[in-house]
Amino acid sequence: MNKRRRTGSPDRVVGYIRVSTDDQALGPVAQKSALSKWCDVRGATLIAFYEDIGVSGGAELDKRPGLMAALDALAEQEAGTLLVAKRDRLARDVVLAGLIERLAMKAGGHIESADGVGAGEGPESALMRTLVDAFAQYERALIRFRTKAALAVKKGRGERVGEVAIGQRVNDEGKLEQNADELRAVARVLELRKVGYSIRRIADELNAEGVPARGGRWHKTTIQRLLDRQTG
């Protein structure tokens, strides 16, 4: 017998915020405001929101702890809506956007955009969402092309280029330095791994202990990436 897919309440909303290093046109405060207004108009409850700050819209899922936490929250909180301010906050990659939509459906929810673009279940709405995803991917390609020279200059100056690893942060001069709080979290991960904890159990333990995490909570993919970086 096939199990019936669980469907969360559409009035229970999990918000997702993403800001990349290349595109700061819509900051986290503005995005959160858009999510709150959308919920207020519809009488929905924004039960939680998660962030990926400094993360490209083309980044793979294992580099998006905030997004993974948001998807987990859909199922855990019986929410039916994953809300973004604009569709391109979800992803700037057509294939990745489709994958995220399938994961949201698997968790019992669906994706909404606060700007209303592509809203609805009909074929026209689905086409609009696909077009938005395609243009977002095109814009990402333009951004990468235009900033290539600037990144080369920053690298030559010793400034940060690319993802900020857990245990590091960017100072006011744009250079990397150690993040003491995150280094303590890294040490805890290594400690738990040494005594035989599985990847999933480590994530659960850190969340239970209230250890601060980027994106709001620890996810097994984040732990795996952290351990790979430590042993690589």
Side-chain angles (χ1 to χ4, degrees), residues 45-123:
T45 302
L46 182 62
I47 59 176
F49 71 93
Y50 298 88
E51 301 178 338
D52 281 320
I53 305 300
V55 177
S56 167
E60 297 296 331
L61 295 183
D62 65 349
K63 297 181 179 178
R64 314 239 329 240
L67 175 60
M68 298 309 296
L71 289 168
D72 282 347
L74 280 178
E76 294 171 0
Q77 302 295 329
E78 298 185 351
T81 302
L82 178 63
L83 181 65
V84 291
K86 293 177 62 178
R87 179 82 182 180
D88 64 6
R89 299 302 88 194
L90 191 66
R92 284 186 177 271
D93 180 279
V94 173
V95 174
L96 187 58
L99 174 59
I100 296 168
E101 283 206 287
R102 288 192 292 274
L103 290 173
M105 290 178 62
K106 185 177 180 181
H110 71 287
I111 295 170
E112 291 278 359
S113 174
D115 63 5
V117 176
E121 299 181 359

Side-chain angles (χ1 to χ4, degrees), residues 83-196:
L83 181 65
V84 291
K86 293 177 62 178
R87 179 82 182 180
D88 64 6
R89 299 302 88 194
L90 191 66
R92 284 186 177 271
D93 180 279
V94 173
V95 174
L96 187 58
L99 174 59
I100 296 168
E101 283 206 287
R102 288 192 292 274
L103 290 173
M105 290 178 62
K106 185 177 180 181
H110 71 287
I111 295 170
E112 291 278 359
S113 174
D115 63 5
V117 176
E121 299 181 359
E124 296 85 359
S125 298
L127 174 60
M128 178 59 70
R129 290 193 293 271
T130 300
L131 290 173
V132 170
D133 292 342
F135 274 103
Q137 181 171 306
Y138 169 69
E139 289 174 354
R140 174 174 171 255
L142 283 180
I143 291 170
R144 294 178 67 183
F145 178 79
R146 291 170 179 170
T147 58
K148 185 175 180 180
L151 290 175
V153 172
K154 289 181 69 175
K155 187 175 181 179
R157 293 174 177 171
E159 298 179 10
R160 178 189 62 83
V161 176
E163 180 189 3
V164 178
I166 294 177
Q168 296 180 319
R169 63 185 174 192
V170 182
N171 62 24
D172 293 339
E173 297 177 354
K175 297 183 179 181
L176 291 175
E177 64 182 19
Q178 291 187 334
N179 184 322
D181 290 337
E182 290 190 348
L183 285 176
R184 284 191 288 272
V186 171
R188 182 62 174 147
V189 169
L190 296 176
E191 177 186 354
L192 293 173
R193 189 60 168 169
K194 187 175 181 179
V195 297

Side-chain angles (χ1 to χ4, degrees), residues 5-25:
R5 177 176 291 168
R6 184 199 66 80
T7 302
S9 169
D11 292 331
R12 290 176 61 79
V13 178
V14 173
Y16 174 64
I17 292 169
R18 182 187 65 79
V19 180
S20 75
T21 55
D22 300 319
D23 181 10
Q24 300 291 334

